[in-house]
Amino acid sequence: MTYVNLAGRTAVVTGAASGIGAAIATVFAANGARVALLARRSDRIAELAEKLKDNGGQAIAVTADVTSDESVTAAAEAIHAAFGRVDLVVNNAGVMIPDDITTASFDDWRKMLDTNVTGVLRVIRAFTPDLTADGHADLVNISSIAAHEFFKDYAVYGATKAAVTYLSKSLRAELGPKGVRVTNIEPGLVRSELRDAITGDAGAFLDSWIAEAGILAAEDLADLVAYATSRPAHVNLRHLVALPTTQL
């Protein structure tokens, strides 16, 4: 599908090494946007950047860890040096570690909070001056249906995503008058590498749930992000929930 209004824009996509992030970067580049791929796995984003360029797109790979202030600052500097002002930011990097609240590791909680919440804030802080500089820009935060639905053993993950959903709502009030559209997207079950790291009973439960409810492809979410960010400047799709039709 073609999204004409993405041509000539400069986008940052976090968590771009695989899954939803890689799919978003791909559709952006295919529609004429300059794309900065941010992730910790240098080899994966370098490979994707070369693939996008081979297909006629403009892309750079920027190794970055959203849990590090210094890393995000350095990434922003590298992107500015390569592409100049950024006018489209997608906060997609995330960690999902399900566990019982009584036995879960504090380190796992910290990892989810620092990636899913503070990491989002770091990226927003780094690029807000860009987004507000010229009267039209987009900030997209990938939250989750877990932000307001109950799933056993996902209490802390859901809490981090509830924070993202609330943050998006608040930032729309702050940044909207400056021409920045803030879009919060809450996916349901989506095929990604987050599933691969979940083992044991939690993994078996997830497999059973997917078999019953179905699952979206990463490209389905990428299509939704491209659609939202390519609307005319006066149209803000501020809150989108994307589920498999059979997921209740």
Side-chain angles (χ1 to χ4, degrees), residues 94-99 101 108-109 111-113 116-117 142-167 184-187 194 198 209:
V95 177
M96 181 172 69
I97 310 173
D99 206 345
I101 198 74
D108 287 346
W109 288 354
K111 184 181 296 184
M112 285 190 284
L113 286 164
N116 300 356
V117 181
I142 306 298
S143 180
S144 168
I145 190 65
H148 51 80
E149 296 288 348
F150 167 76
F151 303 108
K152 184 180 181 298
D153 295 336
Y154 287 82
V156 176
Y157 173 75
T160 66
K161 291 303 186 176
V164 172
T165 292
Y166 182 82
L167 176 66
N184 186 70
I185 298 181
E186 295 181 350
L194 290 178
I198 300 172
W209 187 17

Side-chain angles (χ1 to χ4, degrees), residues 55-246:
N55 290 332
Q58 299 180 70
I60 57 169
V62 182
T63 305
D65 180 353
V66 299
T67 69
S68 164
D69 296 349
E70 294 78 11
S71 183
V72 172
T73 297
E77 291 172 352
I79 293 164
H80 290 146
F83 285 155
R85 174 185 174 247
V86 170
D87 66 350
L88 203 173
V89 173
V90 180
N91 271 309
N92 168 73
V95 177
M96 181 172 69
I97 310 173
D99 206 345
D100 188 292
I101 198 74
T102 62
T103 59
S105 159
F106 280 95
D107 285 342
D108 287 346
W109 288 354
R110 292 187 188 99
K111 184 181 296 184
M112 285 190 284
L113 286 164
D114 205 20
T115 303
N116 300 356
V117 181
T118 315
V120 167
L121 291 170
R122 287 186 181 95
V123 173
I124 291 170
R125 171 68 68 83
F127 292 104
T128 294
D130 289 38
L131 297 178
T132 57
D134 195 31
H136 174 53
D138 283 281
L139 170 63
V140 180
N141 294 325
I142 306 298
S143 180
S144 168
I145 190 65
H148 51 80
E149 296 288 348
F150 167 76
F151 303 108
K152 184 180 181 298
D153 295 336
Y154 287 82
V156 176
Y157 173 75
T160 66
K161 291 303 186 176
V164 172
T165 292
Y166 182 82
L167 176 66
S168 299
K169 180 179 179 180
S170 297
L171 287 177
R172 182 174 183 272
E174 291 186 29
L175 300 179
K178 299 177 181 179
V180 182
R181 300 186 296 199
V182 180
T183 298
N184 186 70
I185 298 181
E186 295 181 350
L189 292 167
V190 180
R191 196 172 304 284
S192 76
E193 289 188 358
L194 290 178
R195 161 65 192 93
D196 297 343
I198 300 172
T199 59
D201 291 344
F205 167 77
L206 195 53
D207 287 341
S208 175
W209 187 17
I210 291 169
E212 177 183 354
I215 192 166
L216 298 177
E219 289 75 15
D220 296 325
L221 266 294
D223 180 62
L224 185 60
V225 172
Y227 180 81
T229 55
S230 63
R231 296 308 86 204
H234 67 285
V235 179
N236 184 188
L237 302 180
R238 71 178 187 89
H239 189 156
L240 301 170
V241 178
L243 307 175
T245 301
T246 47

Side-chain angles (χ1 to χ4, degrees), residues 16-18 22 37-52 60-64 193:
S18 65
L37 313 172
L38 267 64
R40 292 175 299 173
R41 290 179 288 179
S42 303
D43 56 336
R44 295 286 291 272
I45 54 174
E47 181 181 350
L48 179 57
E50 287 306 310
K51 178 181 178 181
L52 298 182
I60 57 169
V62 182
T63 305
E193 289 188 358

